[in-house]
Amino acid sequence: MSNERKIALVTGGNRGIGYEFVKQLGKAGFIVILTSRNAEAGHKAVKALKESNLTVSFVEMDIENPVSIGQAMNLVRDQHGKLDVLINNAGIYLDENEELVKMDPSILEKTLKTNFLGAYHVIRTFLPLMEQQGYGRIINVSSEYGAMSEMSSPGVGAYKLSKLMLNGLTQLVAAETNPNIKINAVDPGWVSSDMGGPSAPRTPKQAAESILWLATIGPEGPSGGFFKDGKQLKW
C-alpha cells in the first residue's frame, strides 16, 4: 500500500467502544467515518472528536436496513473511493436470564437481525471497495459468549447464538476472500458501557487499544481468527 492515508469505518461509533475505536484510529492518522442510525448522536460525537483535530466524518447508517447500508456505501465510495478498515462494532444485548425456548421469540429475532445479519450485510456491501484495491482489514466485535463451549451453559441464549453466528461468518468470509483482506473476530472483554453496565472492570479505551492492532496487521497477519488481548481464542 502507498503512504496515502487509510480510510476506516466504524459502525455504532457514537458511544462506548465504538467511539473509542474512532478516536484511536483518528489519533493513528486514519480518516475515520463514524456511523450510527441516530443522526443527532452521530453528529454530536463527530463534533466532539473534531475538537481534538481528528479527521472524522459522520454517515447515517442503520445496520438493520440493507437499503441504508447501501446508501452509506455509495457515500463512502463517492467521497473516498475506497475503504481500508471496517469495524463491525454495532450490536445489542436484550437477554434476560431466561431459557431460550421460553423467551419472547422477538428477542432472539431482533438480536440475530442486528448482531449477525447486520454485520453480514455491512460486510457484503462494503467488501467490494476492498476487493477493488486488493486490500482490507475487517474486525468483527464478538464475545467469548460466542464460543462453542459456551453453548453447554444455560442463559443469555439470544446473545450467545448471535455471536456464535458472527464467529462463523468471520471464518467463512475469511476462507472465501482475497487473502490480502484480513477478517478477524475479537472479544473486547467486559466493558463499562451502556451494554456492559457501570460495574464492568474495563474501560472502552482499554478495550479499543487491545483490539486495534488488527487494523494495521501486515500481509503475514492472521485472518479468520478469534482474539482477546492479542491472544487467539478457541472457537
Side-chain angles (χ1 to χ4, degrees), residues 87-196:
I87 301 183
N88 273 312
N89 164 73
I92 57 174
Y93 182 99
L94 303 177
D95 285 81
E96 300 291 342
N97 190 22
E98 57 184 323
E99 295 177 25
L100 180 68
V101 296
K102 293 181 179 178
M103 71 170 60
D104 186 330
S106 66
I107 294 175
L108 175 61
E109 292 164 3
K110 173 74 170 176
T111 302
L112 294 181
K113 186 175 183 180
T114 301
N115 294 356
F116 169 65
L117 286 174
Y120 163 76
H121 283 296
V122 170
I123 291 171
R124 73 178 299 273
T125 302
F126 281 91
L127 187 60
L129 290 180
M130 296 180 169
E131 290 175 330
Q132 71 184 19
Q133 65 176 350
Y135 176 91
R137 302 291 181 262
I138 300 173
I139 301 172
N140 292 328
V141 179
S142 186
S143 168
E144 280 189 281
Y145 270 147
M148 183 59 74
S149 60
E150 288 291 332
M151 300 306 123
S152 60
S153 299
V156 202
Y159 186 76
K160 284 179 177 178
L161 286 174
S162 73
K163 294 304 185 178
L164 176 69
M165 294 173 72
L166 180 63
N167 289 345
L169 175 70
T170 301
Q171 289 184 291
L172 184 56
V173 175
E176 295 179 344
T177 303
N178 181 330
N180 291 321
I181 298 173
K182 310 292 186 181
I183 174 169
N184 292 286
V186 292
D187 172 24
W190 185 16
V191 181
S192 178
S193 64
D194 289 348
M195 182 183 293

Side-chain angles (χ1 to χ4, degrees), residues 187-224:
D187 172 24
W190 185 16
V191 181
S192 178
S193 64
D194 289 348
M195 182 183 293
S199 60
R202 203 168 209 190
T203 67
K205 183 174 185 292
Q206 290 171 324
E209 289 176 344
S210 73
I211 289 169
L212 285 177
W213 64 278
L214 285 168
T216 57
I217 52 176
E220 74 291 342
S223 190

